[in-house]
DNA sequence: AAAGTTGCATAAGTTAATTTTATACAAAAT
DNA sequence: ATTTTGTATAAAATTAACTTATGCAACTTT
């Protein structure tokens, strides 16, 4: 659909280098030069500013790149839509997902694998970044669907609720705290706790959940801050601290009895996951993925 | 932007014929066959149903054609937007207009010529059909901007008011009716009249204008119905009838004194012209054309 | 029903476009 | 000053696209 020449241009724009683009496309560097030259003659304007060893998109180049991105997505949607007419098992396409940690690690893999079984020829990728970057990637048309924890208000984004996630306090089964139950929210103040790093979506949810019980995060006896869910889990196994984790992320550890949930009266820390898409670009592939995701988690 | 192969496909889809497409594209018929075959192999499905001497788009083919149409418009917009960055006089692009008779004959030519002076390399075409067909052409993405007399309510169309048009009663300067003035609306019932054919937008406006004065079209002494404004004008010049015509269409005849306006108390027949565009597709080229059109007529 | 027409498909040869190899040239880094 | 990094250009080689010639099937005509 998009001409070869323009695909070369896109690669150069992404790599910000003729030679790197040539390597990525498995063609020689002069071939790239000739293509760009051809385009520049066609549009009668420079598309890249050559600044010594750097290149940079000109205004015209940036405009062209943006338009090509939208065309590329139409192309990918079309590939899928055509192939799905004939046979689901033969449907080809590209689906780029983006999600923040919990969703990317503990929620989406299950959906992706199910989706892959139904549409084996669809190429699925998953970008694992924080909500902010996921949103930006969506706006930049780098991903087709994002899964985030916050429901924003952007007018050119559609928010679609996916599932509820519960965050619970857990500790190692060897931890003496694991015995007595149930606790009151106030009891938290006496416990040594370990939490995720600043900026994590989980931490934000915890903060808001505690606030509803008039507890500030700073009032807790925070012993350690750990970067990443897995690190936190492993730390809890070996320490006497209590941690807050999404139930989605500790399914395995609960099953094996390695971690125990501390039950609290009147303390519910919840958050929602949302699908985000660009408004007006809810393709057939997007729809089917979201439908399957919902059917898996909302039985 | 769109590959050659796909452009050939589009031509075949439009012409509904491999050989006619080949003639339109100035290539041989086998070249077309090879292209279509290539696409069908790529998409792993037939794009045309070969039914004897006819061909017809398959479901997949129709889907592909629709997507390619939207991409083609992105491509054309891009050509314009890039070239206008550097120099207005060098801006290339395609602007397909559609309008019903009065606008197409007496309003748009002036705008088109002014626009052509400012953007000499933009290719402008004008489709002259009735409002209904103009709307359909817009929906089918055959035209970029339509000018119609009715403000509809379609949710995927943007309506933008352009200018007011006044319809007046006129007759030849030799007609005795041309002397006495002013008339009352009721006097119309005594006059021999000539009007446009059924289905014309002008006729519709007249009908509604008269209705406001409690006069039905059928109450008039309709002597003749003529297809087309020019025919009606020429008829009036040679007859004793009174006709209703848009002031826009008789500027020249009034100037030369060939036709005279009959002034009526309390009888105003007006209609509005609207620009119609597909929602979300108001390209830079569209914007500039509409802006110029408004500046010409709304000083 | 036979012959002619219309229209797409296929094959072989030609032409045009793309790519590679080799090399030049400019700017930045060492 | 020399080396490194990165793009531009030219000529040769490769590949893709096109044309001519011809076949075949379906529909028309007589």
């Amino acid at each position: 659909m998009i001409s070869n020449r323009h695909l070369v241009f896109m690669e150069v724009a992404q790599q910000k280098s003729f030679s790197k683009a040539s390597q990525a496309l498995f063609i020689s560097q002069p071939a790239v030069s000739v293509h760009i030259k051809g385009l520049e003659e066609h549009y009668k304007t420079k598309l890249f500013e050559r600044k010594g060893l750097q290149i940079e998109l000109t205004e015209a180049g940036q405009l062209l790149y943006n338009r090509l991105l939208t065309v590329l997505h139409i192309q990918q949607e079309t590939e899928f839509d055509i192939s799905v007419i004939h046979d689901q098992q033969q449907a080809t396409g590209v689906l780029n997902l983006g999600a923040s940690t919990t969703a990317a690690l503990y929620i989406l893999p299950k959906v992706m694998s199910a989706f892959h079984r139904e549409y084996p020829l669809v190429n699925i990728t998953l970008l694992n970044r924080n909500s902010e970057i996921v949103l930006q990637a969506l706006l930049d048309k780098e991903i087709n669907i994002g899964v985030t924890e916050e429901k924003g208000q952007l007018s050119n984004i559609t928010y679609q609720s996916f599932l509820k996630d519960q965050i619970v306090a857990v500790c190692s089964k060897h931890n003496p705290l694991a015995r007595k139950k149930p606790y009151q929210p106030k009891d938290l103040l006496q416990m040594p706790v370990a939490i995720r790093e600043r900026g994590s979506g989980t931490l934000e949810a915890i903060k808001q959940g505690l606030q509803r019980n008039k507890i500030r995060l700073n009032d807790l006896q925070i012993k350690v801050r750990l970067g990443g869910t897995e690190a936190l889990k492993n730390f809890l196994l070996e320490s006497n601290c209590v941690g807050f984790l999404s139930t989605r992320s500790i399914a395995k550890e609960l099953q094996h009895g390695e971690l125990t949930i501390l039950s609290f009266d009147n303390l519910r820390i919840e958050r929602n996951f949302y699908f985000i898409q660009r408004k007006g670009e809810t393709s057939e592939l997007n729809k089917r993925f979201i439908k399957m995701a919902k059917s898996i988690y909302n039985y």
Side-chain angles (χ1 to χ4, degrees), chain A residues 147-197:
Chain A
V147 177
T148 64
E149 291 131 19
E150 298 139 41
K151 183 171 185 175
Q153 295 294 337
L154 292 176
S155 65
N156 48 345
I157 296 287
T158 60
Y159 298 87
Q160 197 173 351
S161 71
F162 177 20
L163 49 76
K164 270 197 169 57
D165 182 31
Q166 197 140 351
I167 292 167
V168 291
V170 293
C171 65
S172 157
K173 64 171 172 181
H174 307 300
N175 192 322
L177 290 167
R179 290 184 211 137
K180 190 194 157 195
K181 59 172 85 166
Y183 292 99
Q184 294 303 312
K186 292 272 159 56
D187 298 334
L188 265 176
L189 299 170
Q190 316 306 327
M191 303 176 180
V193 300
I195 57 170
R196 289 275 303 277
E197 77 282 11

Side-chain angles (χ1 to χ4, degrees), chain A residues 44-111:
Chain A
K44 298 195 184 72
T45 181
K46 285 256 162 294
L47 296 172
F48 293 100
E49 208 67 69
R50 280 80 161 171
K51 299 180 157 179
L53 296 189
Q54 309 269 56
I55 59 167
E56 205 173 282
L57 279 171
T58 61
E59 188 186 351
Q62 187 62 56
L63 194 149
L64 179 61
Y65 181 71
N66 291 338
R67 301 292 171 88
L68 283 171
L69 264 187
T70 72
V71 172
L72 189 68
H73 290 111
I74 294 175
Q75 171 172 320
Q76 290 171 347
E77 274 179 46
T78 305
E79 299 270 339
F80 177 80
D81 291 349
I82 287 181
S83 53
V84 90
I85 285 174
H86 190 247
D87 181 3
Q88 209 168 72
Q89 289 290 113
Q90 303 218 149
T92 56
V94 177
L95 182 61
N96 298 126
L97 306 172
S100 45
T101 313
T102 308
L105 265 58
Y106 307 105
I107 298 173
L108 288 179
K110 196 172 173 180
V111 183

Side-chain angles (χ1 to χ4, degrees), chain A residues 94-109 112 123-139 141-150 157-158 160 162 273-278 286 289-290 293:
Chain A
V94 177
L95 182 61
N96 298 126
L97 306 172
S100 45
T101 313
T102 308
L105 265 58
Y106 307 105
I107 298 173
L108 288 179
M112 288 169 70
N123 226 310
I124 314 178
T125 71
L126 173 58
L127 175 85
N128 174 17
R129 297 290 145 80
N130 69 42
S131 296
E132 200 181 334
I133 293 180
V134 167
L135 177 62
Q136 194 55 52
L138 186 70
L139 291 172
K141 306 189 179 177
E142 286 163 14
I143 60 174
N144 306 107
I145 307 177
V147 177
T148 64
E149 291 131 19
E150 298 139 41
I157 296 287
T158 60
Q160 197 173 351
F162 177 20
F273 285 103
Y274 298 92
F275 287 115
I276 57 176
Q277 296 174 82
R278 287 184 297 277
N286 282 20
F289 182 85
I290 290 174

Side-chain angles (χ1 to χ4, degrees), chain A residues 37 76 279 292:
Chain A
K37 192 183 175 189
Q76 290 171 347
K279 199 162 271 182
M292 181 174 285

